[in-house]
Amino acid sequence: MSTTQSERLRGLLEPLVAARDLDLEEIEVTPAGKRRVLRIVVDSDDGVQLDECAELSREASQALDDSDVMGGAPYTLEVTSPGADRPLTEPRHYRRAVGRLIRAQLHEGGELVARITAMDDEGLDLEVPGVKGRKPTARRVAFAEIAKARVEIEFNRKQDQGRDDRAEQNDESQEEA
């Protein structure tokens, strides 16, 4: 995707996304046979519901049809939320991951697996799990020290470590149904 097309797409779509209190994480145009796929990735602190994606898709489709930003070639529009394996690259990504386990590659070398306990503008407060019966230790890591990081998926997190907010929200919505 050319820089000009990318800028035009962002200029067209960002106001639609922001009006829904969502963050525009990524815009990607990829060839798919004779067509192209325009993928719009959105997120928020509260997560993204399927209905929000569907409504945004309708609005984005109308805005794209009313403009010439995609040209005349056919394309498929996808509006989605980031996957669980999305890299943590912005402070808001780390804020949304507070309480979760992450795997970070450090610029100084080495890898760190730890739970985010808090964050601020400078970096992260982490709890590094103890090894072989040792107690967990606290560690502070500045954002500048992190080369790359991702959330680690936990399938059997111990109950005494708490539950993430999305699981609690899911439980509440099931109780209401």
Side-chain angles (χ1 to χ4, degrees):
M1 175 168 63
S2 72
T3 302
T4 304
Q5 183 185 35
S6 175
E7 291 168 356
R8 291 179 67 206
L9 281 167
R10 187 164 287 278
L12 179 70
L13 298 170
E14 223 161 18
L16 298 175
V17 172
R20 297 188 164 281
D21 291 327
L22 299 172
D23 295 315
L24 181 57
E25 295 291 343
E26 183 179 353
I27 299 172
E28 178 182 50
V29 178
T30 54
K34 294 181 181 181
R35 299 180 152 272
R36 296 169 292 163
V37 175
L38 169 58
R39 181 172 294 116
I40 303 168
V41 181
V42 296
D43 201 4
S44 80
D45 287 351
D46 299 323
V48 181
Q49 301 299 317
L50 184 59
D51 289 345
E52 288 177 304
C53 286
E55 291 168 11
L56 180 58
S57 179
R58 284 188 288 276
E59 289 177 14
S61 179
Q62 185 63 52
L64 289 162
D65 288 348
D66 293 345
S67 78
D68 67 344
V69 72
M70 288 300 290
Y75 65 92
T76 300
L77 174 63
E78 292 180 7
V79 176
T80 186
S81 60
D85 62 343
R86 176 216 23 222
L88 304 174
T89 58
E90 301 286 335
R92 67 178 178 262
H93 299 159
Y94 290 98
R95 183 181 67 245
R96 293 172 184 156
V98 169
R100 312 263 326 254
L101 195 65
I102 65 165
R103 180 177 302 270
Q105 300 291 324
L106 305 177
H107 285 295
E108 67 188 33
E111 183 176 79
L112 177 63
V113 176
R115 188 168 311 282
I116 302 174
T117 56
M119 67 146 305
D120 57 31
D121 293 339
E122 313 301 315
L124 306 172
D125 292 328
L126 302 172
E127 180 182 83
V128 181
V131 179
K132 296 184 180 179
R134 293 187 183 148
K135 292 187 180 203
T137 57
R139 179 168 176 184
R140 174 78 179 169
V141 176
F143 288 124
E145 296 177 62
I146 301 171
K148 61 182 181 176
R150 292 185 189 273
V151 168
E152 282 287 288
I153 306 302
E154 297 179 87
F155 292 105
N156 56 354
R157 185 173 174 188
K158 294 178 183 174
Q159 287 297 329
D160 65 338
Q161 292 176 330
R163 297 171 55 195
D164 93 5
D165 293 336
R166 290 186 180 145
E168 288 178 27
Q169 289 173 354
N170 191 21
D171 289 347
E172 290 170 7
S173 65
Q174 286 177 356
E175 289 172 4
E176 292 172 6

